[in-house]
Amino acid sequence: MMRLFVALPLPEELRERMGGFAGGLDNTRWVEPRNMHLTLRFLGELDGHQGRDMAAELSGIDVPAFDMELKGLGTFGSAKKVQALWVGVEGPEPLYRLQTKIEQAAQRIGLAGERRKFKPHVTIARFKGPPGRKLGDFLQAYGLFSSGPIYVDRFQLVSSQLTPKGPIYRVEAEYPLTPRPSEAEQGVG
């Protein structure tokens, strides 16, 4: 059995920039920059057969490469119990098309459909308890964060091994997106 998810990798420079947010909040476990990604679909524990089927399904996905932008910060949870801190994503239509195709692939191999609506984000911290009164100031200070355009030309199937020090991620497979026509013509990519 392997714990798997499908994600978009992020440029190292951007992950390091977001890692710079770490600090100043109580009861917070910050995500290591090397582990930051945009989850497209959490698959859960899959046996070898399901994992191979999913890998085969993902290899058939055809979506053009696109630009997206990370923008703003927010939280998941309620005012009484904040669970996570995230950086938002201004997702263009191809991002949603890619996620929909991944969701359909997951259902074709027998996984239950995702009940929650896809809300693209990058988790940068999880809270083990109340983050304290500084959360509002933190969100105000970093709320205008913007990555600038990020070129997305691939997605990944990633395994996750949970450890007491945090998850260990390993890229199991990588899938290229279709290059833009001008790139294909010029041999760029």
Side-chain angles (χ1 to χ4, degrees):
M1 297 289 272
M2 289 181 84
R3 186 172 196 263
L4 295 168
F5 62 91
V6 182
L8 293 181
L10 299 171
E12 182 178 359
E13 175 188 310
L14 175 59
R15 288 181 282 131
E16 292 298 329
R17 246 177 94 196
M18 293 188 296
F21 294 152
L25 298 176
D26 299 333
N27 300 309
T28 307
R29 182 169 39 202
W30 295 93
V31 174
E32 294 286 333
R34 72 177 180 273
N35 286 343
M36 291 178 182
H37 60 273
L38 191 161
T39 300
L40 296 167
R41 176 60 150 89
F42 178 71
L43 302 169
E45 296 279 342
L46 300 186
D47 64 30
H49 181 71
Q50 287 175 304
R52 285 187 296 279
D53 287 351
M54 189 67 196
E57 287 285 343
L58 293 174
S59 69
I61 291 177
D62 183 20
V63 173
F66 57 90
D67 289 316
M68 68 175 188
E69 187 168 359
L70 274 55
K71 225 172 189 177
L73 270 67
T75 59
F76 285 130
S78 64
K80 292 186 183 209
K81 187 169 187 217
V82 180
Q83 297 171 328
L85 177 65
W86 48 259
V87 175
V89 176
E90 282 199 353
E93 188 274 333
L95 172 63
Y96 290 93
R97 188 171 347 133
L98 174 61
Q99 194 278 331
T100 297
K101 289 186 176 203
I102 292 166
E103 176 62 34
Q104 291 166 343
Q107 291 179 31
R108 278 194 299 275
I109 69 155
L111 299 182
E114 179 61 61
R115 294 185 310 273
R116 294 174 296 192
K117 185 178 184 219
F118 177 58
K119 181 174 176 46
H121 66 280
V122 176
T123 300
I124 59 171
R126 290 182 178 78
F127 298 106
K128 301 175 283 186
R133 293 195 299 259
K134 295 179 184 172
L135 179 60
D137 294 338
F138 184 92
L139 291 172
Q140 191 168 5
Y142 295 108
L144 296 178
F145 172 79
S146 176
S147 67
I150 302 165
Y151 182 61
V152 178
D153 63 355
R154 66 194 187 286
F155 65 100
Q156 299 172 331
L157 179 62
V158 181
S159 64
S160 170
Q161 179 184 351
L162 301 179
T163 73
K165 292 188 174 187
I168 298 171
Y169 296 146
R170 188 174 93 195
V171 175
E172 299 294 333
E174 192 162 81
Y175 305 93
L177 299 178
T178 306
R180 294 177 182 149
S182 61
E183 294 163 350
E185 292 164 9
Q186 298 170 6
V188 176

